[in-house]
Amino acid sequence: MKSTSMKLQGKIVFITGASAGIGAATALAFASEGARLLLAARRSSKLDTVAAECLAAGAEAVHTLALDVRHHAAVAAAIDALPSEWAAIDVLVNNAGLSRGLDKLYTGSVQDWEEMIDTNVKGLLYVTRAVVPGMVERGRGHIINLGSTAGELTYPNGAVYCATKAAEKSINDGLRQDLLGTPVRVTSVNPGMVETEFSQVRFRGDHERAAKVYQGLQPLTAADVADAILWAATRPGHVNIAHVLLTPVAQANSLLFHREPPAATPGNTR
Ligand code: NDP
Ligand code: 8X3
C-alpha cells in the first residue's frame, strides 16, 4: 500500500520558545507548509516579529501566547483559555529551553540549576500534561521534544544542563510507551552544536565567550534543526520517528570536535 506524507496545511502547530533560535526557525518551516501556528515564549515583542514573518511565509494564521513554561498554573490556564479555533493542537514542539553557566558541579549556582530544571524538565512536562490529553481524545497528534547530544553523553562543567536533556530522553521514551494504543506520535530531535542565542544565554550576554563555542567549526543552523523537525512531522501517519540525532560534520558527540586553527593573518606572521 502506498503511504502518503502527513500534510500540514491548516494543522495547528504549537511551538514553545518560538521567539528565537530553533523555535523561530521551526515556526517559519511550518509556516511555509501552510500550518496554523500557536507561538509561545516570554518575549512577546520578539514573538510578534516571528508571527509577522510566518504570515509572510505562508502560515494560514498565527496566534501568540506570552508564556513562561516554568509556571504550571499559567501553562494550564493558557491552554485552557485558548479560543476554540486554536484548541485542537495537532503538533506540539516542546522546544523552550536554556543552559546557564559552565561550572564544576560542586561549585555551580543553585539558582542556575533551578532555572534549567524548571524550564527544560518541568516546563516541558507542564506543557505536555496540558496538551496531550486533548490529542488522545481527538485521536490524533504528534509531540516533538528537543533533546540534545548533551542528553546522550555528559560533558565536563555541564552536568546539570546534560541531566535536563537526559531527563528529556527518558520523558520522550516514557511518553511514547504511555501513548501506545493511541495514534499519537512522539519524537525527540537531538541536535549537537547549533548557533542560536543559546550560548549568549548560557554566558549571560558575554559575546566573546559565546563566539568561542563555535570557533573553528561550522555549527548547525536553527534552520537545519527545523528541517529535521519538519521531516519527522511529515512522515506518513503510521510512522513514528523515535529520535533524530544531528550534528555538525565537525562534531562526533558532545565531547569530540574538530576545530580548524584560526587562519594566519599578515599581522600575526613574523
Ligand atoms: P535560544 O536561546 O535561541 O532560544 C530559546 C527559546 O526558548 C527562546 O525562544 C526563549 O524565549 C525560550 N524560552 C527560554 N526559557 C523559557 C521559558 N521559561 N518559557 C518560555 N520560553 C522560554 O536557544 P535554542 O533555539 O538553541 O534552543 C532551543 C532548544 O534547543 C532548547 O531546548 C535547547 O536546549 C535545545 N538545543 C539547543 C542546542 C544548541 O546548540 N543551540 C543543541 C541541542 C538542543 P524567551 O526568552 O522569549 O522566553
Ligand atoms: C546544546 C548543545 O553541546 O552546547 O544542547 O550542550 S551543547
Side-chain angles (χ1 to χ4, degrees), residues 33-222:
E33 299 290 315
R36 292 161 56 78
L37 296 169
L38 199 45
L39 305 180
R42 294 165 300 178
R43 292 171 293 175
S44 9
S45 65
K46 291 224 169 216
L47 273 185
D48 290 343
T49 307
V50 175
E53 287 168 2
C54 287
L55 285 170
E60 196 175 283
V62 183
H63 185 73
T64 58
L65 288 176
L67 185 64
D68 188 329
V69 297
R70 291 173 296 176
H71 300 143
H72 176 235
V75 170
I79 301 302
D80 209 40
L82 281 174
S84 56
E85 67 274 23
W86 285 99
I89 295 166
D90 293 290
V91 181
L92 162 62
V93 184
N94 265 325
N95 164 77
L98 82 180
S99 66
R100 286 292 196 193
L102 200 56
D103 307 291
K104 289 194 185 300
L105 186 72
Y106 60 89
T107 56
S109 145
V110 173
Q111 207 183 334
D112 286 352
W113 299 349
E114 283 175 346
E115 192 176 1
M116 290 186 277
I117 292 166
D118 287 350
T119 310
N120 303 359
V121 183
K122 291 165 76 177
L124 181 147
L125 286 170
Y126 297 155
V127 176
T128 302
R129 180 66 183 85
V131 172
V132 177
M135 290 180 168
V136 173
E137 232 174 80
R138 292 185 292 277
R140 64 171 199 276
H142 192 169
I143 303 103
I144 303 178
N145 297 308
L146 262 294
S148 170
T149 45
E152 308 206 354
L153 182 61
T154 304
Y155 52 80
N157 305 317
V160 176
Y161 175 71
C162 293
T164 66
K165 290 300 174 180
E168 178 279 339
K169 183 178 189 298
S170 292
I171 293 164
N172 188 74
D173 291 347
L175 183 61
R176 201 172 51 256
Q177 293 175 52
D178 293 345
L179 284 167
L180 213 54
T182 80
V184 180
R185 306 188 291 175
V186 185
T187 298
S188 183
V189 172
N190 308 338
M193 205 174 257
V194 192
E195 191 163 11
T196 59
E197 292 180 8
F198 183 85
S199 294
Q200 301 286 345
V201 172
R202 167 168 256 173
F203 300 122
R204 293 196 153 78
D206 182 339
H207 298 293
E208 210 176 311
R209 200 162 172 207
K212 277 206 176 118
V213 173
Y214 312 107
Q215 212 165 285
L217 58 76
Q218 183 178 355
L220 296 173
T221 65

